[in-house]
Structures are given as C-alpha cells and as structure tokens.
Amino acid sequence: DGGITQSPKYLFRKEGQNVTLSCEQNLNHDAMYWYRQDPGQGLRLIYYSQIVNDFQKGDIAEGYSVSREKKESFPLTVTSAQKNPTAFYLCASSLSSGRVMETQYFGPGTRLLVL
Amino acid sequence: GIQVEQSPPDLILQEGANSTLRCNFSDSVNNLQWFHQNPWGQLINLFYIPSGTKQNGRLSATTVATERYSLLYISSSQTTDSGVYFCAVSPLGGQGAQKLVFGQGTRLTINP
C-alpha cells in the first residue's frame, strides 16, 4: 500500500529529554512537511523539505530539528529547548512541481505528551 | 503573510441537512485544498481546487480566485461527515509558494 506512516502513535517525553518522531512515505514524493496542531487550532508548519539533504524552517521551527538523508524519510526531533511540546504532530508529503505546490497527503499523526 | 479565515467556526446539523462552509483568503493563491479531520485526527484530502468547481459524490467545492474565497458544500449530511474541515492555501510566488497556510477550521457536528 502506498502511503505515509508515522511512529509512534503516542510518545511521552520527560523534562529535558530529546525525542524523535518518525515519518516515512512510499509515494515517491519529493517534498515532505512537519506540522504541529494544538487543541482546537489549525495546523502550523514546523519544517519542510523539497529535496534530499535540504530543508527550510517553517513558522515555528524553534526547539525542533530535522534531517532529510533519504527521500522516503523525514524525522523530526523535539529538543529540550521546546518548552511546550505537548501537541499533535502531523507529517505530510507532496509532489514538488516547480513553483506550484501539488496536493499534500498526511500521515496519521503522533501525539506527544510531557510527563 | 497570507491570512485564511473560515466560517462558521462551529456548525451543528441534523442528519440529511445541507451545509456550506466558507474560506476567505487575503492574497492570490496557487494552491487551495480542503481537508476533513476525523475524530482520530487523520486529515483526509477532499479537494485540490485553486480555482473553479469540483464535485465528488455529496461534496462539492467552488473557488472564486479573483474574489479570494472558496466554498465547500455538503449535501444530505451523514453522521460520518462530523469532524473539522480545514481550508489551506499556498500564496502565489516567492518562498511561500511551497508552504500551506491553514485556517482555524469549521467544526461540523451531524446529529442522528
């Protein structure tokens, strides 16, 4: 099946701990994205990548880091510098067609809770 | 940056009713998408519609790019239509052309 997988489904973080959220896609999409969603709110962009070994900050990148070593994978690390990490994290991907963004498809999400 | 406003914020209807959800945006766009987020959090892509009209079963959408708004129509609502509907846009040109900006969503509740 083609799609986007995220793991784990639930993640608990202790104070001062770094945690990494996994996102994998087998859609052969060039572009990948990470969003954060707080309760009752819309999605906000954390980081995005249009090509392997390249990524850009979104609107709320502070306290997060990413890597894009493979086309299929775009892991997100929530660092200890992120003071309010409790949220629902969504990964997405899309074909990248020049200057026009194609349809974005989303994974099932990871819920991060701070202990 | 571009602003996206959705209305109404909440909508409660009986099964079988029709509804219209609105999305206004503040600048020209090259991408507009409608999503449905189910109670488990999964976002499902409904329409990719930067302009024109599309239909898929009981759902249809119209975007009038020159007037900077889009409408999502749901006919003969079912309880499974409940959830949050998001509009998201990508501004025309510049670095922002590769990013989606989301509205705050419309929470739709369909009662049996």
Side-chain angles (χ1 to χ4, degrees):
Chain A
D1 281 0
I4 303 172
T5 57
Q6 291 185 241
S7 61
K9 190 172 182 179
Y10 295 94
L11 185 57
F12 299 93
R13 194 192 92 164
K14 295 179 181 179
E15 293 287 342
Q17 187 181 40
N18 292 355
V19 293
T20 298
L21 285 60
S22 170
C23 177
E24 304 275 335
Q25 54 96 3
N26 61 4
L27 300 168
N28 199 32
H29 285 171
D30 293 307
M32 298 186 74
Y33 310 83
W34 274 106
Y35 293 90
R36 169 180 172 140
Q37 186 179 29
D38 293 287
Q41 302 296 313
L43 281 66
R44 293 183 291 167
L45 183 64
I46 305 173
Y47 269 99
Y48 65 106
S49 167
Q50 295 177 260
I51 195 169
V52 173
N53 293 323
D54 188 39
F55 48 83
Q56 287 78 41
K57 292 182 179 180
D59 300 318
I60 56 166
E62 186 174 351
Y64 301 97
S65 66
V66 293
S67 63
R68 186 85 187 276
E69 297 176 2
K70 298 187 299 181
K71 186 176 183 177
E72 304 79 25
S73 177
F74 191 40
L76 173 74
T77 296
V78 183
T79 74
S80 56
Q82 173 48 245
K83 297 306 178 187
N84 184 22
T86 296
F88 187 46
Y89 291 87
L90 288 151
C91 178
S93 71
S94 70
L95 289 170
S96 183
S97 177
R99 299 299 293 170
V100 176
M101 179 191 292
E102 303 288 339
T103 302
Q104 279 197 18
Y105 297 91
F106 281 79
T110 293
R111 294 191 186 276
L112 176 60
L113 297 171
V114 176
L115 298 177
Chain B
I2 194 167
Q3 304 296 313
V4 182
E5 294 183 1
Q6 292 186 242
S7 60
D10 293 279
L11 189 56
I12 301 174
L13 298 172
Q14 291 297 121
E15 201 167 22
N18 301 330
S19 58
T20 300
L21 283 59
R22 187 176 179 101
C23 172
N24 292 334
F25 43 96
S26 61
D27 208 343
S28 299
V29 299
N30 66 28
N31 180 347
L32 187 146
Q33 294 183 238
W34 282 98
F35 296 91
H36 174 221
Q37 186 169 39
N38 66 24
W40 298 271
Q42 176 77 55
L43 263 81
I44 305 299
N45 187 288
L46 298 176
F47 293 104
Y48 173 88
I49 186 165
S51 63
T53 297
K54 291 186 178 180
Q55 181 157 5
N56 184 5
R58 296 180 296 103
L59 274 61
S60 64
T62 295
T63 297
V64 183
T66 53
E67 296 186 23
R68 299 180 183 170
Y69 73 89
S70 183
L71 301 173
L72 177 68
Y73 305 96
I74 304 174
S75 64
S76 304
S77 299
Q78 301 175 359
T79 55
T80 51
D81 294 330
S82 295
V84 183
Y85 289 80
F86 287 105
C87 168
V89 304
S90 178
L92 190 65
Q95 195 78 1
Q98 297 301 323
K99 300 188 290 185
L100 276 181
V101 177
F102 281 76
Q104 293 297 296
T106 292
R107 181 173 298 277
L108 177 64
T109 303
I110 304 297
N111 292 321

